[in-house]
Amino acid sequence: MCSVARTLQSPKANPWRTGLEQALRTPLELLEFCRIDPDQVDLLTEPAFPMLVPRPFASRISPGNARDPLLLQVLARAQEAHPAQGFGTDPVGDHDRRRGSGVIHKYHGRVLLITTGACAIHCRYCFRQHYPYTQDTAMRGRWQGALDYLSERPEVTELILSGGDPLMLDTRHLRVLTEELVQSTAIRRLRLHTRLPIALPDRVDDELIEWLGSLPWPVVIVIHANHPAEFDQAVDHALGRLRSAGVHLLNQAVLLAGINDQPEALESLMARGFAAGVLPYYLHLLDRVAGAGHFETSETRAAELMEQLRIRLPGYLVPRLVREQAGAPYKLPIL
Ligand SMILES: *Cc1c(COP(=O)(O)O)cnc(C)c1O
Ligand code: SF4
């Protein structure tokens, strides 16, 4: 994925592109940045899924803490190489639902578009780490296949830009897509699933805000934060700008052992997100992707945590606990 990110760089680099170039890419670099003794961690030195950690994200890791909940999301550790039963390369059945040109059509009325394989951060539990991006994305403004698919299906009223991370594309490419969507499809809602406001808040720049504000439909941005410490002033600022552009902000989190599987962490994630203008959406049970077995939390524990959240939080700050099951017509609610 790193190589994809590199080839996407435009000649006149934006500040956030520079931020991406300066991202930390090896375990030792990251540990040094966070002043953590490498002897405290069982590292994986040559992970199949390369490491990628932007400095703004790394700066929120507490120095010296080898158990830091942000660090553990991004550091390649030896456990990744341990095989776990039932963990595979296509845990959510995406490969079967590909319709070409980056289109994944699983659910009624909404279509997901893989816009690029690149991300600004590589999350070790990611279910897309084995996705064959090089064969199938709508990358770099080649939208025609996806537009044809949508224009033949007026029942599809929502387009979800995903990836990878759709905000890894330059805004001008995204603008071409939305201009075409207005012309030739029945789309009435646009949604973006992105971790960039958290990973590299500089991505929320004037050009992005201007584009979002110009769109004729309601726009939903689903961010991805798993722990309250992922928010800081720069993130708040980026999210505030998105809200001022009229965007609805939601968060999806993944339940991760050792990171957010305590009621206090989840409660304060929801409260901290709301303070930044974000409502909770889904809390996902881990997708069973090869290499992520050590992050799994049991369904029993998940149910206990949900009970605690219902006790501690107003209803609108309680996320929906779901598991994505291959072949199901929606993300299945768990209790
Ligand atoms: C998650 C997902 C969606 C969106 O589902 P919602 O329940 O509407 O958030 C749509 N398409 C695909 C392929 C998905 O994986
Ligand atoms: S940003 Fe999202 S798609 Fe990219 S590695 Fe993280 S979880 Fe996966």
Side-chain angles (χ1 to χ4, degrees), residues 1 49 117-129 133 162-165 194-196 224:
M1 285 215 256
F49 180 46
C119 290
I121 185 166
H122 287 179
C123 315
R124 308 314 300 174
Y125 51 83
C126 179
F127 77 99
R128 291 234 166 88
Q129 59 184 284
Y133 286 113
S162 185
D165 198 308
T194 176
R195 198 148 156 68
L196 265 156
H224 173 181

Side-chain angles (χ1 to χ4, degrees), residues 28-328:
L28 291 180
E29 244 185 322
L30 176 62
L31 292 175
E32 192 189 334
F33 185 87
C34 304
R35 286 178 266 137
I36 295 166
D37 177 359
D39 291 342
Q40 286 185 276
V41 204
D42 206 359
L43 295 175
L44 186 65
T45 40
E46 284 182 12
F49 180 46
M51 269 185 55
L52 184 64
V53 190
R55 285 164 197 256
F57 186 89
S59 70
R60 297 171 220 143
I61 294 170
S62 54
N65 181 10
R67 308 296 309 161
D68 181 278
L70 275 58
L71 178 76
L72 299 183
Q73 292 182 47
V74 295
L75 178 67
R77 288 176 294 157
Q79 286 105 308
E80 289 181 24
H82 303 168
Q85 181 127 48
F87 283 66
T89 55
D90 180 24
V92 299
D94 273 356
H95 298 203
D96 278 357
R97 295 308 191 103
R98 286 153 56 192
R99 299 289 183 260
S101 307
V103 169
I104 303 181
H105 194 173
K106 270 197 201 174
Y107 302 144
H108 180 83
R110 53 222 199 269
V111 155
L112 186 143
L113 184 61
I114 301 284
T115 54
T116 166
C119 290
I121 185 166
H122 287 179
C123 315
R124 308 314 300 174
Y125 51 83
C126 179
F127 77 99
R128 291 234 166 88
Q129 59 184 284
H130 306 284
Y131 194 89
Y133 286 113
T134 45
Q135 301 161 27
D136 188 16
T137 67
M139 219 172 58
R140 303 183 79 184
R142 289 193 298 269
W143 309 116
Q144 201 52 55
L147 287 161
D148 291 346
Y149 188 89
L150 293 170
S151 63
E152 287 156 16
R153 289 170 183 77
E155 73 279 12
V156 176
T157 51
E158 177 165 348
L159 182 64
I160 302 168
L161 305 183
S162 185
D165 198 308
L167 291 186
M168 290 295 279
L169 297 178
D170 283 328
T171 306
R172 61 197 159 88
H173 290 310
L174 297 167
R175 189 188 288 277
V176 170
L177 170 65
T178 51
E179 283 167 3
E180 294 292 330
L181 287 171
V182 173
Q183 293 299 317
S184 64
T185 72
I187 293 304
R188 289 199 290 271
R189 293 186 297 276
L190 184 72
R191 189 185 335 170
L192 282 82
H193 284 185
T194 176
R195 198 148 156 68
L196 265 156
I198 296 284
L200 203 55
D202 274 358
R203 175 63 185 91
V204 182
D205 58 11
D206 293 346
E207 195 187 357
L208 184 75
I209 293 297
E210 201 268 315
W211 168 63
L212 289 168
S214 75
L215 298 174
W217 327 281
V219 178
V220 179
I221 293 188
V222 183
I223 64 161
H224 173 181
N226 301 310
H227 192 278
E230 288 172 53
F231 292 84
D232 68 1
Q233 230 182 340
V235 173
D236 286 342
H237 178 72
L239 296 171
R241 293 198 73 189
L242 293 171
R243 288 240 298 158
S244 308
V247 171
H248 301 273
L249 294 176
L250 302 173
N251 182 45
Q252 54 181 344
V254 182
L255 188 55
L256 297 165
I259 291 170
N260 60 9
D261 59 344
Q262 297 297 327
E264 296 73 23
L266 287 175
E267 179 190 1
S268 69
L269 170 63
M270 305 309 155
R272 183 63 184 83
F274 190 61
V278 185
L279 283 168
Y281 187 39
Y282 288 141
L283 176 61
H284 292 268
L285 289 178
L286 184 75
D287 295 316
R288 294 197 165 125
V289 62
H294 55 294
F295 287 119
E296 191 165 55
T297 309
S298 73
E299 251 179 59
T300 316
R301 177 64 179 156
E304 285 167 14
L305 290 166
M306 286 304 293
E307 174 70 8
Q308 282 301 314
L309 291 183
R310 291 193 176 101
I311 292 170
R312 293 165 184 234
L313 289 166
Y316 59 88
L317 292 187
V318 178
R320 276 156 265 193
L321 178 68
V322 291
R323 170 176 315 276
E324 183 152 6
Q325 194 156 301

